[in-house]
Amino acid sequence: MTTMCEQIALGSDASGGVRTDMTLDRVAERSGVSRATASRALNGDARVSDDTRARVLAAAAAIGYRPNRAARSLANGRSSILGLVMPSGQLVADPYGAEMINSVAIAASSHDQQLMLWLTHEGPDDSVDAIFRNGLVDGVIVSAPALGDDWIEDVIDGPLPTVLIGRHPHRSDINVVDVDNAGGARLAVTHLIERGHRRIATICGPMERTDGRSRYESYAETLRDHGIEVDERLIAQGDYTPDSGLAAMVRLLRHEPTAVFAANDQMALGAYEAIEVAGLRVPDDIAVVGFDGFSSRTADPPLTTVRQDLSELGGRAVELLLQTITTPDEPPTEVIVPVELVVRSSSAGTRNEATTT
């Protein structure tokens, strides 16, 4: 297993020693609250009102006060370090992984938290298990594609507060932050129908993953809602990689679709290649719509896609985790982040299929 972690930066005085926490008294005096209230406000305690927290933060900023992380950790029993667990393959095969790490890291930093990253390809060694069990991290964010290993399930069921990015395939007792997969697929397919398409194929993601299954089910439901029969010949499955999109599109071309909805941008790019090899053109012969909004930036022609906002996704995951750390007895929460359809050249034009059989 590969483990990456960011070092904790402690404040220090001019002599190189660790800075003391004495100036907290000045923050309290300036904001008109007790020292204990000032400390709670700076530590994000939910019992402090928004108005009081704002006064304390303004006072701290005015005098240039920065809390001593080491002293604060001793006082509240927290490390101010959050863990992020995701498969190592997400960094290699898909820009989604790097975007996700960046969004979570930025969100953690905005809350004065450090981030420790685990890239999983096998179970943890003893040192990593000790990190999880012995208080080095305050809570863990798990990317749903990491699910499947027993030790990941152990982390979810363990003593640490946990938030899952993406739904668990079998459980509803976990804090979840996810994008609107079903709503996004509906936007994509409705867009193609409104362009006059009726033979709309799909390249699905893995059905064992909740995002793949949800996007496919919404595709099929949207067709039926518009009076279009779901044609099994126009359905092919991939694994979110370009190669799987290419292979799926080769199979689909035998049945002459006029449009295809790919469950992610990487598979849409693979579909582009298959269409080109077949001597066809996007969008003149086949319109293409993807999902994610990352790989579409370099596609030729520019790819219409359902864009998910990873900065909001990562930010909401960090906020929910910190909330869970502060109030651990609250019931599990599910947060759904909206998506948007970004229309580009790959689905341009309209098509009349009134006579198509």
Side-chain angles (χ1 to χ4, degrees), residues 251-324:
R251 295 193 298 273
L252 292 171
L253 286 173
R254 302 168 190 162
H255 306 291
E256 300 182 345
T258 65
V260 59
F261 164 54
N264 81 334
D265 289 350
Q266 290 282 289
M267 294 193 298
L269 295 184
Y272 268 36
E273 185 175 349
I275 292 168
E276 181 181 359
V277 168
L280 303 173
R281 294 190 301 173
V282 177
D284 297 349
D285 299 301
I286 300 179
V288 180
V289 178
F291 196 119
D292 280 342
F294 314 126
S295 307
S296 58
R297 300 165 185 165
T298 58
D300 183 20
L303 177 65
T304 294
T305 189
V306 177
R307 189 182 77 87
Q308 52 176 312
D309 187 345
L310 284 195
S311 62
E312 183 175 357
L313 192 69
R316 298 295 292 274
V318 169
E319 290 171 2
L320 181 56
L321 181 57
L322 293 175
Q323 175 185 321
T324 305

Coordinates of all heavy atoms in Angstrom, one line a residue, residues 251-324:
R251 N -19.2 -2.2 -30.6 CA -20.4 -3.1 -30.6 C -21.7 -2.4 -30.9 O -22.5 -2.9 -31.6 CB -20.5 -3.8 -29.2 CG -19.3 -4.7 -28.9 CD -19.6 -5.6 -27.7 NE -19.8 -4.8 -26.4 CZ -18.9 -4.4 -25.6 NH1 -17.6 -4.7 -25.9 NH2 -19.2 -3.8 -24.5
L252 N -21.8 -1.2 -30.4 CA -23.0 -0.4 -30.6 C -23.2 0.0 -32.0 O -24.3 0.1 -32.5 CB -23.0 0.8 -29.6 CG -23.1 0.5 -28.1 CD1 -22.8 1.8 -27.3 CD2 -24.5 0.0 -27.8
L253 N -22.1 0.3 -32.7 CA -22.2 0.8 -34.1 C -22.9 -0.2 -35.0 O -23.5 0.2 -36.0 CB -20.8 1.1 -34.6 CG -20.2 2.4 -34.1 CD1 -18.7 2.5 -34.6 CD2 -21.0 3.6 -34.5
R254 N -22.9 -1.5 -34.7 CA -23.5 -2.5 -35.5 C -25.0 -2.3 -35.5 O -25.7 -2.7 -36.5 CB -23.3 -3.9 -34.9 CG -21.8 -4.2 -34.9 CD -21.6 -5.5 -34.0 NE -20.2 -5.8 -33.7 CZ -19.8 -6.6 -32.8 NH1 -20.7 -7.3 -32.0 NH2 -18.5 -6.8 -32.6
H255 N -25.6 -1.5 -34.6 CA -27.0 -1.4 -34.4 C -27.4 0.1 -34.8 O -28.6 0.5 -34.5 CB -27.5 -1.8 -33.0 CG -27.0 -3.2 -32.7 ND1 -27.6 -4.3 -33.3 CD2 -26.1 -3.6 -31.8 CE1 -27.0 -5.4 -32.8 NE2 -26.1 -5.0 -31.9
E256 N -26.5 0.8 -35.3 CA -26.8 2.1 -35.9 C -27.5 3.1 -35.0 O -28.6 3.7 -35.3 CB -27.6 2.0 -37.2 CG -26.9 1.1 -38.2 CD -27.7 1.0 -39.5 OE1 -28.9 1.3 -39.5 OE2 -27.2 0.6 -40.6
P257 N -26.9 3.4 -33.9 CA -27.4 4.5 -33.0 C -27.1 5.8 -33.7 O -26.2 6.0 -34.5 CB -26.7 4.4 -31.7 CG -25.3 3.8 -32.1 CD -25.7 2.8 -33.3
T258 N -28.0 6.8 -33.4 CA -27.7 8.2 -33.9 C -27.1 9.1 -32.8 O -26.7 10.2 -33.0 CB -29.0 8.9 -34.4 OG1 -29.9 9.1 -33.3 CG2 -29.6 8.0 -35.5
A259 N -27.1 8.6 -31.5 CA -26.6 9.3 -30.4 C -26.1 8.3 -29.3 O -26.6 7.2 -29.3 CB -27.6 10.3 -29.8
V260 N -25.2 8.7 -28.5 CA -24.8 7.9 -27.4 C -24.5 8.7 -26.1 O -24.0 9.8 -26.2 CB -23.5 7.1 -27.7 CG1 -22.3 8.0 -28.1 CG2 -23.1 6.1 -26.6
F261 N -25.0 8.2 -25.0 CA -24.8 8.8 -23.7 C -23.8 7.9 -23.0 O -24.1 6.7 -22.7 CB -26.0 8.9 -22.9 CG -25.8 9.2 -21.4 CD1 -25.0 10.2 -21.0 CD2 -26.3 8.4 -20.5 CE1 -24.7 10.4 -19.6 CE2 -26.1 8.6 -19.1 CZ -25.3 9.6 -18.7
A262 N -22.5 8.4 -22.8 CA -21.5 7.7 -22.1 C -21.5 8.1 -20.6 O -21.6 9.3 -20.3 CB -20.1 7.9 -22.7
A263 N -21.4 7.1 -19.7 CA -21.5 7.4 -18.3 C -20.4 8.1 -17.7 O -20.4 8.5 -16.5 CB -21.8 6.1 -17.5
N264 N -19.3 8.3 -18.4 CA -18.3 9.3 -18.0 C -17.5 9.8 -19.3 O -17.6 9.2 -20.4 CB -17.3 8.7 -17.0 CG -16.2 7.8 -17.6 OD1 -16.4 7.2 -18.6 ND2 -15.1 7.7 -16.9
D265 N -16.8 10.8 -19.1 CA -16.1 11.5 -20.2 C -15.0 10.6 -20.8 O -14.8 10.6 -22.1 CB -15.4 12.8 -19.8 CG -16.5 13.9 -19.5 OD1 -17.6 13.7 -19.9 OD2 -16.1 14.9 -19.0
Q266 N -14.3 9.8 -20.0 CA -13.3 8.9 -20.5 C -13.8 7.9 -21.5 O -13.3 7.7 -22.6 CB -12.6 8.2 -19.3 CG -11.8 9.1 -18.4 CD -10.4 9.4 -19.0 OE1 -9.6 8.6 -19.2 NE2 -10.3 10.7 -19.5
M267 N -15.0 7.3 -21.2 CA -15.6 6.4 -22.2 C -16.1 7.1 -23.4 O -16.1 6.6 -24.5 CB -16.7 5.6 -21.5 CG -16.2 4.6 -20.4 SD -17.4 3.4 -19.8 CE -18.7 4.5 -19.1
A268 N -16.6 8.4 -23.2 CA -17.0 9.1 -24.4 C -15.9 9.4 -25.3 O -16.0 9.3 -26.6 CB -17.6 10.5 -23.9
L269 N -14.6 9.6 -24.8 CA -13.5 9.8 -25.7 C -13.1 8.5 -26.4 O -12.7 8.5 -27.5 CB -12.3 10.3 -24.8 CG -12.4 11.7 -24.2 CD1 -11.1 12.0 -23.5 CD2 -12.8 12.7 -25.2
G270 N -13.3 7.4 -25.7 CA -13.1 6.1 -26.4 C -14.1 5.9 -27.5 O -13.8 5.4 -28.6
A271 N -15.4 6.3 -27.3 CA -16.4 6.3 -28.3 C -16.1 7.1 -29.5 O -16.3 6.8 -30.7 CB -17.8 6.7 -27.7
Y272 N -15.5 8.3 -29.2 CA -15.0 9.2 -30.3 C -14.1 8.4 -31.3 O -14.2 8.5 -32.5 CB -14.2 10.4 -29.8 CG -15.0 11.6 -29.5 CD1 -16.3 11.6 -29.0 CD2 -14.3 12.9 -29.6 CE1 -16.9 12.8 -28.7 CE2 -15.0 14.0 -29.4 CZ -16.3 14.0 -28.9 OH -16.9 15.2 -28.6
E273 N -13.1 7.7 -30.7 CA -12.1 6.9 -31.5 C -12.8 5.9 -32.3 O -12.5 5.7 -33.5 CB -11.1 6.3 -30.5 CG -10.0 5.7 -31.3 CD -8.9 5.1 -30.4 OE1 -8.9 5.5 -29.2 OE2 -8.0 4.4 -30.9
A274 N -13.8 5.1 -31.7 CA -14.4 4.1 -32.5 C -15.2 4.7 -33.6 O -15.3 4.1 -34.8 CB -15.4 3.3 -31.6
I275 N -15.9 5.8 -33.4 CA -16.7 6.5 -34.4 C -15.8 6.9 -35.6 O -16.1 6.8 -36.8 CB -17.5 7.7 -33.8 CG1 -18.5 7.1 -32.9 CG2 -18.1 8.5 -34.9 CD1 -19.2 8.2 -32.0
E276 N -14.6 7.5 -35.2 CA -13.7 8.0 -36.3 C -13.1 6.8 -37.1 O -13.1 6.9 -38.3 CB -12.5 8.7 -35.6 CG -11.5 9.3 -36.6 CD -10.4 10.0 -35.9 OE1 -10.4 10.1 -34.7 OE2 -9.5 10.4 -36.7
V277 N -12.8 5.7 -36.4 CA -12.2 4.5 -37.1 C -13.3 4.0 -38.1 O -12.9 3.4 -39.2 CB -11.8 3.5 -36.1 CG1 -11.5 2.1 -36.8 CG2 -10.6 3.9 -35.4
A278 N -14.6 4.1 -37.7 CA -15.6 3.6 -38.6 C -15.9 4.5 -39.8 O -16.8 4.2 -40.6 CB -16.9 3.3 -37.8
G279 N -15.2 5.6 -39.9 CA -15.4 6.5 -41.0 C -16.6 7.4 -40.8 O -17.1 8.0 -41.7
L280 N -17.0 7.6 -39.5 CA -18.2 8.4 -39.2 C -17.7 9.7 -38.4 O -16.5 9.7 -38.0 CB -19.2 7.7 -38.3 CG -19.7 6.4 -38.9 CD1 -20.6 5.7 -37.9 CD2 -20.5 6.7 -40.2
R281 N -18.6 10.6 -38.3 CA -18.1 11.9 -37.6 C -19.1 12.3 -36.5 O -20.3 12.0 -36.5 CB -18.1 13.0 -38.6 CG -17.0 12.9 -39.7 CD -16.8 14.1 -40.5 NE -18.1 14.5 -41.2 CZ -18.3 15.7 -41.8 NH1 -17.2 16.5 -41.9 NH2 -19.4 16.0 -42.4
V282 N -18.5 12.9 -35.5 CA -19.3 13.5 -34.4 C -19.4 15.0 -34.6 O -18.3 15.6 -34.9 CB -18.5 13.2 -33.0 CG1 -19.3 13.9 -31.9 CG2 -18.3 11.8 -32.7
P283 N -20.5 15.6 -34.6 CA -21.9 15.0 -34.3 C -22.7 14.7 -35.6 O -23.8 14.3 -35.5 CB -22.5 16.2 -33.5 CG -22.0 17.4 -34.2 CD -20.6 17.1 -34.6
D284 N -22.1 14.9 -36.8 CA -22.9 14.8 -38.0 C -23.6 13.4 -38.1 O -24.7 13.3 -38.5 CB -22.0 15.0 -39.2 CG -21.3 16.4 -39.2 OD1 -21.8 17.2 -38.4 OD2 -20.4 16.6 -40.0
D285 N -22.8 12.3 -37.8 CA -23.4 11.0 -37.8 C -23.9 10.5 -36.5 O -24.9 9.8 -36.4 CB -22.4 10.0 -38.4 CG -21.9 10.4 -39.8 OD1 -22.8 10.5 -40.7 OD2 -20.7 10.7 -40.0
I286 N -23.2 10.8 -35.4 CA -23.5 10.3 -34.1 C -23.2 11.4 -33.1 O -22.1 11.9 -33.0 CB -22.8 9.0 -33.7 CG1 -23.1 7.9 -34.7 CG2 -23.1 8.6 -32.3 CD1 -22.4 6.6 -34.4
A287 N -24.2 11.8 -32.3 CA -24.0 12.8 -31.3 C -23.5 12.1 -30.0 O -23.9 10.9 -29.8 CB -25.4 13.5 -30.9
V288 N -22.7 12.7 -29.2 CA -22.1 12.1 -28.0 C -22.2 13.0 -26.9 O -22.0 14.2 -27.0 CB -20.6 11.8 -28.3 CG1 -20.0 11.1 -27.0 CG2 -20.4 10.9 -29.5
V289 N -22.7 12.5 -25.7 CA -22.7 13.2 -24.5 C -22.0 12.4 -23.4 O -22.2 11.2 -23.3 CB -24.2 13.5 -24.0 CG1 -24.2 14.2 -22.7 CG2 -24.9 14.3 -25.1
G290 N -21.2 13.1 -22.6 CA -20.5 12.4 -21.5 C -21.0 12.8 -20.1 O -22.1 13.4 -20.0
F291 N -20.2 12.5 -19.1 CA -20.6 12.8 -17.7 C -19.3 13.0 -16.9 O -18.5 12.1 -17.0 CB -21.4 11.7 -17.1 CG -22.2 12.0 -15.9 CD1 -23.6 11.9 -15.9 CD2 -21.6 12.4 -14.7 CE1 -24.3 12.3 -14.7 CE2 -22.3 12.7 -13.6 CZ -23.6 12.7 -13.6
D292 N -19.1 14.1 -16.3 CA -18.0 14.4 -15.4 C -17.5 15.8 -15.6 O -17.5 16.6 -14.6 CB -16.8 13.5 -15.5 CG -16.9 12.2 -14.8 OD1 -17.8 12.1 -13.9 OD2 -16.2 11.2 -15.1
G293 N -17.1 16.2 -16.8 CA -16.7 17.5 -17.1 C -15.2 17.8 -17.0 O -14.7 18.9 -17.0
F294 N -14.4 16.7 -16.9 CA -12.9 16.8 -16.8 C -12.2 16.6 -18.1 O -11.6 17.5 -18.7 CB -12.4 15.9 -15.7 CG -13.2 15.9 -14.5 CD1 -13.7 14.7 -14.0 CD2 -13.5 17.1 -13.8 CE1 -14.4 14.7 -12.8 CE2 -14.2 17.1 -12.7 CZ -14.7 15.9 -12.2
S295 N -12.4 15.4 -18.7 CA -11.8 15.1 -20.0 C -12.4 15.8 -21.1 O -11.7 15.9 -22.2 CB -11.9 13.6 -20.2 OG -11.4 12.8 -19.1
S296 N -13.6 16.4 -21.0 CA -14.2 17.0 -22.1 C -13.5 18.3 -22.5 O -13.7 18.8 -23.6 CB -15.7 17.4 -21.6 OG -15.6 18.2 -20.5
R297 N -12.6 18.8 -21.7 CA -11.9 20.0 -22.0 C -11.0 19.9 -23.3 O -10.8 20.9 -24.0 CB -11.1 20.5 -20.8 CG -11.9 20.7 -19.6 CD -11.1 20.8 -18.3 NE -11.8 20.9 -17.1 CZ -11.4 20.7 -15.9 NH1 -10.1 20.4 -15.8 NH2 -12.1 20.8 -14.8
T298 N -10.5 18.7 -23.5 CA -9.6 18.5 -24.6 C -10.1 17.7 -25.8 O -9.4 17.4 -26.7 CB -8.3 17.8 -24.1 OG1 -8.7 16.5 -23.5 CG2 -7.6 18.6 -23.0
A299 N -11.4 17.4 -25.7 CA -12.0 16.6 -26.8 C -12.2 17.4 -28.1 O -12.3 18.6 -28.1 CB -13.4 16.1 -26.3
D300 N -12.1 16.7 -29.2 CA -12.3 17.4 -30.5 C -13.3 16.5 -31.3 O -13.0 15.4 -31.7 CB -11.0 17.5 -31.2 CG -11.1 18.2 -32.6 OD1 -12.1 18.9 -32.8 OD2 -10.2 18.0 -33.4
P301 N -14.5 17.0 -31.6 CA -15.0 18.3 -31.2 C -15.3 18.4 -29.7 O -15.4 17.4 -29.0 CB -16.4 18.4 -32.0 CG -16.8 17.0 -32.2 CD -15.5 16.2 -32.3
P302 N -15.5 19.6 -29.2 CA -15.7 19.8 -27.7 C -16.9 19.0 -27.3 O -18.0 18.9 -28.0 CB -16.0 21.3 -27.6 CG -15.2 21.9 -28.7 CD -15.3 20.9 -29.8
L303 N -16.8 18.3 -26.2 CA -17.8 17.3 -25.7 C -18.9 17.9 -24.8 O -18.6 18.5 -23.8 CB -17.0 16.2 -24.9 CG -17.9 15.1 -24.3 CD1 -18.6 14.3 -25.4 CD2 -17.0 14.2 -23.4
T304 N -20.1 17.7 -25.2 CA -21.2 18.0 -24.3 C -21.2 17.0 -23.2 O -21.0 15.8 -23.3 CB -22.6 17.8 -25.1 OG1 -22.6 18.8 -26.1 CG2 -23.7 18.0 -24.1
T305 N -21.3 17.6 -22.0 CA -21.1 16.7 -20.8 C -22.0 17.2 -19.6 O -22.4 18.3 -19.6 CB -19.7 16.7 -20.4 OG1 -19.5 15.7 -19.4 CG2 -19.2 18.0 -19.8
V306 N -22.2 16.3 -18.7 CA -22.9 16.6 -17.4 C -21.7 16.9 -16.4 O -21.0 16.1 -16.1 CB -23.7 15.5 -16.9 CG1 -24.3 15.8 -15.5 CG2 -24.8 15.1 -17.9
R307 N -21.6 18.2 -16.1 CA -20.5 18.6 -15.2 C -20.9 18.5 -13.7 O -21.9 19.0 -13.3 CB -20.1 20.1 -15.5 CG -18.9 20.5 -14.8 CD -18.6 22.0 -15.1 NE -19.4 22.8 -14.3 CZ -19.1 23.2 -13.0 NH1 -18.0 22.8 -12.5 NH2 -19.9 24.0 -12.3
Q308 N -20.0 17.8 -13.0 CA -20.1 17.7 -11.6 C -19.1 18.7 -10.9 O -17.9 18.7 -11.4 CB -20.0 16.3 -11.0 CG -18.8 15.5 -11.5 CD -18.7 14.2 -10.8 OE1 -18.9 14.0 -9.6 NE2 -18.5 13.1 -11.6
D309 N -19.5 19.4 -9.9 CA -18.6 20.3 -9.3 C -17.8 19.7 -8.1 O -18.3 19.5 -7.0 CB -19.4 21.5 -8.7 CG -18.6 22.7 -8.2 OD1 -17.4 22.5 -8.0 OD2 -19.1 23.8 -8.0
L310 N -16.6 19.2 -8.4 CA -15.8 18.5 -7.4 C -15.4 19.5 -6.3 O -15.2 19.0 -5.1 CB -14.6 17.9 -8.0 CG -14.9 16.6 -8.8 CD1 -13.6 15.8 -9.0 CD2 -15.9 15.7 -8.1
S311 N -15.3 20.7 -6.5 CA -14.9 21.6 -5.4 C -16.0 21.7 -4.4 O -15.7 21.7 -3.2 CB -14.6 23.1 -6.0 OG -15.8 23.6 -6.6
E312 N -17.3 21.7 -4.8 CA -18.4 21.6 -3.9 C -18.5 20.3 -3.3 O -18.8 20.1 -2.1 CB -19.7 22.0 -4.6 CG -20.9 22.0 -3.6 CD -22.2 22.5 -4.2 OE1 -22.2 22.8 -5.4 OE2 -23.2 22.5 -3.5
L313 N -18.3 19.2 -4.1 CA -18.3 17.8 -3.5 C -17.3 17.6 -2.4 O -17.7 17.1 -1.3 CB -18.1 16.8 -4.7 CG -18.4 15.4 -4.4 CD1 -19.9 15.2 -4.2 CD2 -17.9 14.5 -5.5
G314 N -16.1 18.0 -2.7 CA -15.0 17.9 -1.6 C -15.3 18.8 -0.4 O -15.1 18.4 0.7
G315 N -15.8 20.0 -0.7 CA -16.1 20.9 0.4 C -17.2 20.4 1.3 O -17.1 20.5 2.5
R316 N -18.2 19.9 0.7 CA -19.3 19.4 1.5 C -18.9 18.1 2.3 O -19.4 17.9 3.4 CB -20.5 19.1 0.6 CG -21.1 20.3 -0.2 CD -21.7 21.3 0.8 NE -22.9 20.8 1.4 CZ -24.1 20.9 0.9 NH1 -24.3 21.4 -0.3 NH2 -25.2 20.4 1.6
A317 N -18.0 17.3 1.7 CA -17.6 16.1 2.4 C -16.8 16.5 3.6 O -16.9 15.9 4.7 CB -16.7 15.2 1.5
V318 N -15.9 17.5 3.5 CA -15.1 18.0 4.6 C -16.0 18.6 5.7 O -15.9 18.3 6.9 CB -14.0 19.0 4.2 CG1 -13.4 19.7 5.4 CG2 -13.0 18.3 3.4
E319 N -17.0 19.4 5.3 CA -17.9 20.0 6.2 C -18.7 19.0 7.0 O -18.9 19.1 8.2 CB -18.8 21.0 5.5 CG -18.1 22.2 5.0 CD -19.1 23.0 4.1 OE1 -20.2 22.6 3.9 OE2 -18.6 24.1 3.5
L320 N -19.2 18.0 6.3 CA -20.0 16.9 6.9 C -19.1 16.1 7.9 O -19.6 15.8 9.0 CB -20.6 16.0 5.9 CG -21.5 14.9 6.4 CD1 -22.6 15.4 7.3 CD2 -22.1 14.1 5.3
L321 N -17.9 15.9 7.5 CA -17.0 15.1 8.4 C -16.7 15.9 9.7 O -16.7 15.4 10.8 CB -15.7 14.8 7.7 CG -14.7 13.9 8.5 CD1 -15.3 12.6 9.0 CD2 -13.4 13.7 7.7
L322 N -16.4 17.2 9.5 CA -16.1 18.0 10.7 C -17.4 18.1 11.6 O -17.3 18.1 12.9 CB -15.7 19.4 10.3 CG -14.3 19.5 9.6 CD1 -14.0 20.9 9.1 CD2 -13.2 19.0 10.6
Q323 N -18.5 18.2 11.0 CA -19.8 18.2 11.8 C -20.0 16.9 12.5 O -20.4 16.9 13.7 CB -21.0 18.4 10.8 CG -22.3 18.3 11.5 CD -23.4 18.5 10.4 OE1 -23.3 19.2 9.5 NE2 -24.5 17.7 10.6
T324 N -19.6 15.8 11.9 CA -19.7 14.5 12.5 C -18.8 14.3 13.7 O -19.1 13.7 14.7 CB -19.5 13.4 11.5 OG1 -20.5 13.5 10.4 CG2 -19.8 12.0 12.1

